[in-house]
Amino acid sequence: MFGMKAEIALREKGLPFDLVMVPFDMRRFYEPKHPDVARVNPKGQVPVLIDGAVEIFDSTQIFEYLEDLQPQPALWPAGLAAKTQARQLELRSDEVFFPHVIRLMGLQGSLDDPAAIAARAAVGAFYDAMDDHIGDRAFLAGAYSYADIAFYVAQLYADRMGAPMGKHLRLRAWRDRVGDSAAVAVVMTRFVAFLASHKRPVPDFLARFAAG
């Protein structure tokens, strides 16, 4: 999820990069660890970005680095208040919303467990709040931003773990607008192909990225 965030941002910025994928599964996690990941990130997780002498981890820190490195096109909105709101939304996506999704990842064999029911309820409450928040905005913080990238990818994983967006019409329209981005389309097209090749379900809203 967090690697997708970083890749979409790099593509939005039009920056050249080499993408190195690492192994992951729900039993062994990131094993064996890529040596650069193990060296750069004390937590041993992706994404890691290496740019010459600069070596950083954490998708949000990568966002900040890319914004300084390549200010245009801007992916934080202009103005202190709007930028702060976008940063808070991005943080909420990662630190408030996504932990419930992580909880569901470990309960895929028992989605009727009270813990899974509670996690889905928390995800639903977050969707309610975001649907109210977006109102008539095109994007979460007004202009398209890192906040949209973060929540788009997070809700994708929520959908796959049994907590889809449902009938939140304004939020569904927002999701379609984010999916119109060429950068998002490249990453989602590859992801859909991966799911299909492993005979895994493809969320309905990603059908637009399936091979014809």
Side-chain angles (χ1 to χ4, degrees):
M1 194 282 275
F2 299 102
M4 278 186 178
K5 285 174 57 181
E7 183 184 354
I8 291 169
L10 281 159
R11 292 185 182 280
E12 295 287 6
K13 290 293 186 181
L15 290 164
F17 63 94
D18 296 318
L19 179 66
V20 179
M21 305 295 279
V22 301
F24 176 87
D25 67 45
M26 291 302 295
R27 292 187 302 274
R28 300 178 64 201
F29 300 107
Y30 295 104
E31 296 292 347
K33 295 189 188 301
H34 189 284
D36 287 335
V37 174
R39 187 185 76 254
V40 176
N41 188 348
K43 297 192 290 185
Q45 299 170 347
V46 297
V48 160
L49 184 144
I50 300 172
D51 184 19
V54 175
E55 297 182 339
I56 57 176
F57 65 93
D58 183 83
S59 57
T60 302
Q61 295 302 311
I62 291 171
F63 282 172
E64 298 290 359
Y65 179 74
L66 295 180
E67 198 69 5
D68 289 338
L69 179 69
Q70 180 81 3
Q72 297 299 325
L75 288 175
W76 289 128
L80 181 60
K83 187 181 296 184
T84 299
Q85 180 187 53
R87 284 182 165 132
Q88 283 288 289
L89 288 164
E90 194 265 352
L91 178 68
R92 286 170 60 84
S93 177
D94 285 3
E95 303 294 337
V96 178
F97 177 80
F98 201 64
H100 303 301
V101 181
I102 293 173
R103 192 167 298 114
L104 286 170
M105 288 179 182
L107 294 165
Q108 288 301 289
S110 53
L111 288 177
D112 57 348
D113 184 286
I117 294 169
R120 287 200 303 276
V123 168
F126 197 95
Y127 287 146
D128 290 342
M130 294 299 280
D131 197 67
D132 289 342
H133 163 80
I134 198 164
D136 60 359
R137 296 179 179 92
F139 298 104
L140 296 181
Y144 177 67
S145 74
Y146 293 116
D148 299 292
I149 295 171
F151 189 49
Y152 182 90
V153 179
Q155 63 80 37
L156 159 60
Y157 277 81
D159 189 295
R160 295 190 63 238
M161 294 300 113
M165 191 173 284
K167 296 181 180 180
H168 296 83
L169 297 182
R170 289 175 294 195
L171 210 49
R172 289 167 67 95
W174 159 84
R175 183 170 63 186
D176 288 343
R177 287 190 290 273
V178 176
D180 289 339
S181 160
V184 172
V186 169
V187 177
M188 292 301 112
T189 298
R190 188 182 68 233
F191 185 59
V192 167
F194 170 83
L195 293 177
S197 71
H198 286 74
K199 296 182 169 52
R200 297 181 184 176
V202 175
D204 290 345
F205 74 93
L206 291 184
R208 64 192 291 193
F209 303 112

